[in-house]
Amino acid sequence: NIDLCKNATEEERNDLLGQAYFLRAYAHFTLSRQFGGMPYIDHTLEAGDEWDLPRLSNHEAFTRVAEDFYTAYEYFKAAGILRRNSAADLASKKLLEPAGAAALGLRARALLYAASKLHNPSGEKSKWEKAAEAAYDIIKENWYSLPNIDVDPLYNVNGGNDVLSSSQLIFERRNGASNSFEGLNLPIGFENGNSGSTPTQNLVDAFEMSDGQPFDWNNPKHSARPYVRRDPRFYKTVLYNGSSFMNTPIETYEGGRNGAPLNGATLTGYYLRKNMNETVSLSPTEPVTKPHHFILFRYAETLLNYAEAMNELGGPDYKITGRPTAREALNQVRAAANMPPIEDTGEAFTKRLRNERRVELAFEDHRFWDIRRWLIADDEGVMKGAMYGLQLSAVTGAPGKVHYKPYVFENRLWSDRSYLHPIKQTEIDKGYMLQNPGW
């Protein structure tokens, strides 16, 4: 209860109210993203109150979330807290708390979800217009910029743990000093490594060549040297055979230090690099731990959200006076990654834009939800059908040379009911909650 803060200044009260609205909106956003429209709880429910609250439509739920995020922004603005990135904030726990920019950022994400096909099956343009405007509300402030990939702390050897000083940081989750993330995801063959997340060949193939052409296993120049002249983000995201981590060469070929037949070795031929800190140690006698910070919202997503909304609103070159086009926003992200601009039009542009989200925001908790809101999970190789890995074998008599062969390590099934998660049966049995379709 905010009234308990009897000694709080007006600024402190506005700050606390902003945080309260932000947290309420964020909780309902995660519920709606997972289950679709749910009852929106905007007051304390007492024992004698009516608990049989109706489920909102998917769009209504995201609209309510967006309204709460904007209310949070207004309170933060009244408190003079639009961003928490001052030297004092960096040295304190204040950066853990949301601010006005974070509220605007998540409002833009909520409205993007509301406009997407899963929640906007008729494709109403007005919903895309609201999503574009919400993303532009951040862009127009010039609070943030995209550092070049070569200098962005998100991608340094500390696994993004220096991201607090990145000029694109909007909101993040801070963790204390540990080495548990590396313990979970270090390749087999490293001391106490457990493999963890192993990227698929499907993802690796999504990273273009450095000249912007798609990677193609049928191109002999590509298949002979699959890790040469790729999108620079590939090297910051994935550990592959021949790369180096903790000053140690990665060997995922059969018989290599990180490959089969070692128990627990990757089935895909790859290990995770993004967010991994090379300066920790899992040595049981001399462990080294470091703080870990994980991105929740950053400026690259803002630009990609804006680009998607503008493209759906009017196409890649649709222009609103004083604002960038979808193409211009998308190519800002590519320029920061040292990638050439995209010149495609129509459906080809939409495909490239979606692929840009996939590689730029890999392992930042977007792809899982993007697949669902776009209703593309049933497409071959997305959530259904062949998941590819890479079989690697050393070439006899040619030291250092490896033969590469893509193979299907898993065939996945998909049911459209999985576009939304099931609600627990115990809640359905209480008689006031409708189950999602198909469950």
Side-chain angles (χ1 to χ4, degrees), residues 7 20 40 47 55 58 74-76 141 154 177 194 207 228 303 312 331 346 356 363 370 379 381 408 433 436:
N7 298 320
Y40 205 89
R55 291 188 66 175
N58 296 357
E74 290 182 317
Y75 277 116
F76 285 132
E141 296 293 344
L154 173 65
N194 288 288
F207 288 91
V228 176
L303 291 169
E312 295 291 340
N331 285 335
E356 194 70 16
F363 300 104
D370 286 345
D379 293 355
V408 177
M433 186 72 69
N436 280 326

Side-chain angles (χ1 to χ4, degrees), residues 286-332:
E286 297 182 9
V288 176
T289 62
K290 293 291 180 70
H292 285 61
H293 312 306
F294 297 95
I295 292 287
L296 294 179
F297 201 84
R298 60 187 177 100
Y299 190 52
E301 186 201 338
T302 299
L303 291 169
L304 291 170
N305 291 350
Y306 177 81
E308 180 179 343
M310 288 291 287
N311 181 53
E312 295 291 340
L313 187 58
D317 299 303
Y318 175 68
K319 185 70 177 176
I320 295 177
T321 303
R323 300 184 187 180
T325 64
R327 188 187 306 280
E328 289 167 343
L330 175 60
N331 285 335
Q332 282 186 53

Side-chain angles (χ1 to χ4, degrees), residues 180-296:
S180 58
F181 185 79
E182 288 71 30
L184 290 170
N185 293 291
L186 267 176
I188 290 296
F190 281 76
E191 188 170 28
N192 291 319
N194 288 288
S195 292
S197 297
T198 54
T200 64
Q201 190 66 51
N202 305 59
L203 171 62
V204 170
D205 289 350
F207 288 91
E208 300 169 354
M209 305 301 290
S210 59
D211 62 2
Q213 294 300 310
F215 176 82
D216 185 0
W217 280 104
N218 294 317
N219 184 326
K221 293 182 178 179
H222 295 181
S223 58
R225 304 177 71 190
Y227 309 132
V228 176
R229 294 190 297 276
R230 299 293 292 271
D231 181 329
R233 290 169 292 194
F234 166 69
Y235 305 107
K236 307 287 189 179
T237 304
V238 177
L239 290 175
Y240 56 93
N241 186 69
S243 61
S244 178
F245 193 73
M246 293 182 172
N247 298 315
T248 303
I250 301 298
E251 298 176 353
T252 57
Y253 59 84
E254 187 173 358
R257 67 166 54 90
N258 314 113
L262 291 177
N263 185 37
T266 174
L267 296 176
T268 67
Y270 303 100
Y271 293 100
L272 180 67
R273 186 184 195 108
K274 194 170 186 179
N275 294 326
M276 295 281 281
N277 191 319
E278 291 193 58
T279 67
V280 306
S281 172
L282 298 175
S283 167
T285 56
E286 297 182 9
V288 176
T289 62
K290 293 291 180 70
H292 285 61
H293 312 306
F294 297 95
I295 292 287
L296 294 179

Side-chain angles (χ1 to χ4, degrees), residues 84-96 164-165 169 172 174 293:
R84 297 188 196 272
N85 61 355
S86 67
D89 290 335
L90 290 172
S92 73
K93 292 184 178 180
K94 275 293 184 182
L95 203 66
L96 287 163
L164 301 184
S165 60
L169 174 68
E172 90 293 337
R174 280 195 188 187
H293 312 306

Side-chain angles (χ1 to χ4, degrees), residues 208 212 316-317 327 341-352:
E208 300 169 354
D317 299 303
R327 188 187 306 280
I342 287 176
E343 298 178 354
D344 301 72
T345 59
E347 288 300 316
F349 179 86
T350 299
K351 183 178 179 180
R352 296 286 297 278

Side-chain angles (χ1 to χ4, degrees), residues 2 63 139 329 332 347 356 378 400 429:
I2 199 69
T63 299
I139 295 170
Q332 282 186 53
E347 288 300 316
E356 194 70 16
D378 198 43
D429 291 343

Side-chain angles (χ1 to χ4, degrees), residues 24-25 27-33 35-40 54-69 110-111 113-114 119:
R24 184 172 81 184
H28 282 90
F29 170 75
T30 57
L31 279 173
S32 300
R33 181 178 63 177
F35 300 105
M38 298 291 284
Y40 205 89
R55 291 188 66 175
L56 302 180
S57 71
N58 296 357
H59 184 262
E60 287 173 335
F62 283 117
T63 299
R64 289 288 302 275
V65 164
E67 290 171 353
D68 264 2
F69 276 131
L111 288 172
Y113 277 54
H119 309 299

